[in-house]
Amino acid sequence: MYFSELAETFEKMEKTSSRLELTDYLVHVLKRSTIQTIDKIIYLIQGKLGPDYQSKELGVAERVVIKSLALASGYSVKDIQIKYNKSGDLGDVAYDLLKNKFQTTLSYEKLTIEKVYETLIKISKVSGAGSIDLKLKYINSLLNNSTNLESKFILKLILGNLRLGIADFTILDAISISFTGEKKNRKILERAYNVSSDLGNIARLLFGGSLNEVESIPISLFIPVRPMLAERASDANDALKKMSGKICYAEYKIDGERIQIHKSDKKIELFTRSLENVTNNFSDIVNEFKKINTKDLIAEGEIVSIDIQTGKFLPFQSLMHRRRKYKIDEAIKDYPVILNLFDLLFYDNEDKTNLPFFKRRRILEEIISFENEKIKLITQTKVTEIEELDKFMVKAIEEGCEGLMLKNSESPYRAGAREWAWIKLKKEYSNKLLDTLDLAIVGAAHGKGRRVGNYGAFLLAAYEPEEDTFFTICKVGTGFTDEILEEISKRLKQHVIKNKHPRVNSGELKIDVWFEPKLVIEIFSPEITLSPLYTTSINRIKKGYGLALRFPKFTGKIRDDKNAEDSTTITEIENIYKKQLKSI
Ligand code: ATP
């Protein structure tokens, strides 16, 4: 299949602001694909070269792309830089500069999708001395054989700024419609995605095989499973009620980063909840885990920074020092961490997710049966009475925890699902204040007064997975120091889009700048109110009204561990609102 077809589809997708149209374009291109190209098309649509957990980065600097564009177009580097400064996108610059290219080019080889994909893979593998020249050579081999439209998208792919406005759930819809004829089979595909985290592979299996095959995709080592999530309760009473008399365990809830550890005979790898491979960042944990004599496994836990002097847990922010790309060894020394395991998904070559929680924990206890300084089991206790839960909460808070997790003892591990089998209880609840929410930044207003020249307030949105859409919930301008505002603004620059994103529903509301939903920040608000302005839960509680946060305030936490699609959901917000009504 020729790359030109994909480029034309990308062009149409870039221009639409309707999610239904996006899905239609996707279905059209997927139906025209072949078994050789289907997975590659899916990855390219995601602006990637493979599933998230393989994170093949192209690592091409802008100046290399500018140089190759100079070679392909005949314009000088300086000219291109000027045009780039104006437009802000080298793909768009290439589109303009290469408009008349084929009037002067005598022969060229029409690019296939395979050729583009393979060349991008080659670029991602180049390293060491001479790598810049080699990357230039590969990029030019593509540009010399492409039209200006193809060049535009090749450069966007290379620089990682293809913004089609498409996310996993929309792609799942399109795969389901294309190869099963019905959207309703998305549920089956979703389960496969939750255990295998690879949309390209699911599409290929479905294209070449059957729905049954996809249905039985197993959990496998070194392929991260999408994590099971928790619902929230307003207080201990509410949490126990939700467990409706079932045996349950309360566990410390630590404010660190969730890690999935995969271990075979020879290898250990660590993944975050957004499926990023962070093995290199936590080599101290890997080395410690190697000392544990155990069979193959996949386990989950929370990595947390600790104060070396007191042994107490430190807040999430100190852990972020461990996520840097350079000088990792120094960070390992300066910011010690421990891993607190709380679940087991796979052991001794067997999927354990269908075992009840207490049995999974028992196996974990057998594996981690000795004192280890860095690898521990999360502190846990069986609870039946409110008093026990309250007492355990006090102890947890004293030790630096965020609160407790209440877990149904009989529950299986349900990958990617948010259910009442796990309930989070945070200390903030005890003051009857609302919990923090993690919201995606979808727009911004220009700053005034002190903030002239910067953003003044951000438009935030919650997520609705069924519709794969972001709904607005508030504007926030408080809680930002100058430094953090600067940082957020800098990071948002790469996500600026000309019009509202197709997966954002903002009703009538207008704002100065729109962003692709990427950056997630943590917000505290004491109350949720009905609002005619925002679209969260629009018409679901009261006709003509949505829900909004009253007095929202940024807590200082940028949620780098979350994708926009991991933002707080509309359903969670509705639940908080309903509870709030009851407590009045
Ligand atoms: P969510 O995971 O619900 O989307 P979030 O990332 O903001 O939201 P919280 O709402 O604070 O996190 O709680 C869930 C997270 O708590 C888990 O994803 C995990 O990282 C962490 N956690 C800490 N302790 C535990 C525990 N004992 N069991 C499960 N998760 C825990």
Side-chain angles (χ1 to χ4, degrees):
M1 191 171 160
Y2 289 120
F3 184 70
S4 55
E5 265 191 71
L6 198 56
E8 278 155 26
T9 310
F10 285 174
E11 178 77 353
K12 286 190 215 151
M13 289 169 90
E14 255 197 351
K15 293 209 163 109
T16 183
S17 57
S18 139
R19 195 176 89 87
L20 284 179
E21 260 178 44
L22 274 180
T23 316
D24 285 347
Y25 292 137
L26 263 182
V27 169
H28 178 79
V29 78
L30 291 184
K31 278 189 170 164
R32 300 203 17 85
S33 63
T34 61
I35 188 79
Q36 285 81 21
T37 52
I38 180 81
D39 51 349
K40 301 176 180 74
I41 291 178
I42 298 276
Y43 300 138
L44 292 178
I45 283 168
Q46 294 179 293
K48 296 173 189 160
L49 295 178
D52 282 325
Y53 61 87
Q54 285 177 355
S55 62
K56 290 186 190 116
E57 289 196 8
L58 278 140
V60 180
E62 278 175 359
R63 63 192 161 81
V64 176
V65 170
I66 292 177
K67 210 165 161 193
S68 59
L69 190 51
L71 286 172
S73 67
Y75 283 79
S76 69
V77 165
K78 201 172 153 205
D79 279 346
I80 295 174
Q81 185 70 51
I82 292 171
K83 288 186 192 303
Y84 174 44
N85 291 347
K86 254 194 213 152
S87 93
D89 187 304
L90 281 167
D92 293 338
V93 174
Y95 183 77
D96 280 342
L97 294 186
L98 300 174
K99 243 180 198 148
N100 303 319
K101 191 171 122 199
F102 284 109
Q103 291 168 10
T104 51
T105 309
L106 292 178
S107 65
Y108 82 104
E109 181 197 338
K110 204 165 156 49
L111 286 176
T112 58
I113 290 173
E114 286 99 320
K115 177 77 188 174
V116 173
Y117 180 80
E118 278 155 21
T119 312
L120 295 182
I121 291 280
K122 278 186 195 159
I123 295 174
S124 75
K125 288 187 178 155
V126 175
S127 66
S131 63
I132 292 189
D133 287 342
L134 200 52
K135 282 182 186 177
L136 257 177
K137 196 181 122 204
Y138 286 136
I139 300 172
N140 277 92
S141 74
L142 292 175
L143 295 188
N144 289 340
N145 288 306
S146 59
T147 62
N148 63 332
L149 186 71
E150 290 167 285
S151 297
K152 168 177 166 176
F153 289 106
I154 286 168
L155 293 191
K156 280 176 186 268
L157 283 166
I158 287 176
L159 289 168
N161 52 17
L162 179 72
R163 297 198 190 101
L164 299 177
I166 204 107
D168 299 349
F169 289 121
T170 306
I171 298 179
L172 280 171
D173 274 349
I175 298 174
S176 184
I177 297 167
S178 305
F179 306 122
T180 75
E182 290 184 87
K183 191 169 144 179
K184 75 171 195 317
N185 289 322
R186 172 178 130 180
K187 281 277 161 237
I188 295 173
L189 306 189
E190 226 174 279
R191 182 236 147 240
Y193 181 46
N194 284 335
V195 301
S196 69
S197 311
D198 184 346
L199 288 174
N201 185 44
I202 289 171
R204 191 164 39 85
L205 274 182
L206 204 56
F207 189 101
S210 66
L211 200 56
N212 283 347
E213 245 171 283
V214 173
E215 216 166 358
S216 52
I217 289 183
I219 285 187
S220 313
L221 274 178
F222 306 108
I223 296 182
V225 176
R226 288 160 57 82
M228 175 162 175
L229 302 169
E231 287 284 359
R232 61 181 94 204
S234 52
D235 55 33
N237 198 354
D238 184 32
L240 276 180
K241 239 197 241 156
K242 283 283 182 336
M243 285 292 177
S244 41
K246 295 185 192 97
I247 297 176
C248 53
Y249 289 89
E251 288 182 350
Y252 279 7
K253 182 175 188 315
I254 303 172
D255 187 18
E257 178 156 33
R258 187 162 183 167
I259 291 288
Q260 208 170 80
I261 182 159
H262 291 234
K263 180 192 177 296
S264 70
D265 247 10
K266 300 185 184 67
K267 201 164 75 169
I268 293 182
E269 286 190 353
L270 306 180
F271 300 94
T272 64
R273 65 175 281 175
S274 49
L275 315 182
E276 194 185 335
N277 190 322
V278 286
T279 313
N280 290 337
N281 296 79
F282 296 108
S283 55
D284 46 345
I285 293 294
V286 171
N287 290 335
E288 210 56 36
F289 212 90
K290 278 185 190 152
K291 295 183 192 162
I292 300 172
N293 183 16
T294 165
K295 304 194 170 111
D296 298 358
L297 63 76
I298 302 177
E300 256 184 6
E302 191 87 350
I303 277 192
V304 65
S305 247
I306 50 153
D307 181 330
I308 327 177
Q309 312 306 330
T310 63
K312 277 204 174 182
F313 301 134
L314 290 174
F316 176 79
Q317 280 89 340
S318 29
L319 189 64
M320 285 301 107
H321 295 286
R322 295 292 301 267
R323 295 294 302 278
R324 58 168 79 142
K325 286 201 173 134
Y326 308 101
K327 296 196 180 164
I328 293 179
D329 288 343
E330 267 174 41
I332 291 178
K333 247 199 296 153
D334 295 343
Y335 300 97
V337 296
I338 60 170
L339 172 63
N340 296 274
L341 292 168
F342 54 70
D343 217 320
L344 181 79
L345 285 65
F346 184 91
Y347 184 60
D348 195 9
N349 230 357
E350 265 180 39
D351 179 346
K352 298 290 180 197
T353 54
N354 285 324
L355 283 184
F357 171 60
F358 80 95
K359 286 200 177 156
R360 302 199 303 276
R361 165 84 187 199
R362 208 165 283 162
I363 305 173
L364 206 52
E365 283 167 3
E366 280 162 23
I367 298 169
I368 316 290
S369 57
F370 62 97
E371 270 296 306
N372 182 302
E373 227 179 87
K374 286 184 178 290
I375 317 284
K376 301 181 182 295
L377 282 172
I378 208 125
T379 309
Q380 183 196 65
T381 186
K382 209 180 206 176
V383 287
T384 39
E385 304 293 329
I386 293 253
E387 293 72 33
E388 291 167 316
L389 197 54
D390 282 341
K391 222 163 133 193
F392 197 53
M393 173 69 105
V394 172
K395 192 164 162 248
I397 303 292
E398 262 170 25
E399 291 193 28
C401 298
E402 249 190 320
L404 297 177
M405 274 282 190
L406 201 58
K407 296 183 176 175
N408 177 347
S409 143
E410 291 295 328
S411 159
Y413 186 99
R414 300 246 300 118
R418 187 186 299 280
E419 291 172 353
W420 291 100
W422 285 14
I423 300 177
K424 48 191 179 191
L425 250 179
K426 293 194 195 172
K427 61 181 170 213
E428 292 101 284
Y429 303 157
S430 49
N431 309 332
K432 284 267 181 275
L433 291 176
L434 173 62
D435 185 17
T436 55
L437 306 173
D438 298 318
L439 301 167
I441 303 183
V442 298
H446 293 312
K448 295 188 182 110
R450 241 166 78 83
R451 291 193 183 160
V452 163
N454 217 331
Y455 296 128
F458 299 105
L459 177 63
L460 303 182
Y463 185 59
E464 211 312 273
E466 277 310 307
E467 293 173 43
D468 190 11
T469 300
F470 293 87
F471 290 89
T472 54
I473 187 160
C474 69
K475 274 189 217 157
V476 64
T478 47
F480 299 91
T481 60
D482 290 350
E483 291 77 40
I484 203 138
L485 190 66
E486 198 65 42
E487 179 181 344
I488 292 180
S489 307
K490 206 165 108 201
R491 289 171 59 171
L492 282 171
K493 283 231 161 73
Q494 48 179 318
H495 305 304
V496 173
I497 43 180
K498 283 184 192 127
N499 299 308
K500 183 187 70 62
H501 195 274
R503 290 190 296 125
V504 170
N505 180 335
S506 58
E508 301 295 309
L509 193 138
K510 302 270 181 294
I511 194 121
D512 301 331
V513 189
W514 292 103
F515 305 109
E516 179 185 21
K518 281 280 175 203
L519 205 62
V520 179
I521 58 175
E522 190 180 81
I523 297 294
F524 176 80
S525 166
E527 197 182 351
I528 297 180
T529 53
L530 286 170
S531 155
L533 198 65
Y534 296 101
T535 57
T536 289
S537 288
I538 185 92
N539 296 330
R540 277 166 55 159
I541 291 180
K542 185 172 175 188
K543 199 161 182 286
Y545 285 80
L547 293 175
L549 299 187
R550 199 151 175 237
F551 311 126
K553 188 172 173 204
F554 176 53
T555 63
K557 234 191 219 182
I558 303 178
R559 295 296 307 251
D560 280 317
D561 58 327
K562 283 196 163 186
N563 294 317
E565 291 75 18
D566 297 318
S567 300
T568 304
T569 63
I570 305 293
T571 318
E572 284 178 274
I573 289 167
E574 275 176 17
N575 286 339
I576 301 172
Y577 178 72
K578 285 176 195 157
K579 257 176 233 148
Q580 192 186 287
L581 286 185
K582 271 192 219 153
S583 68
I584 292 172

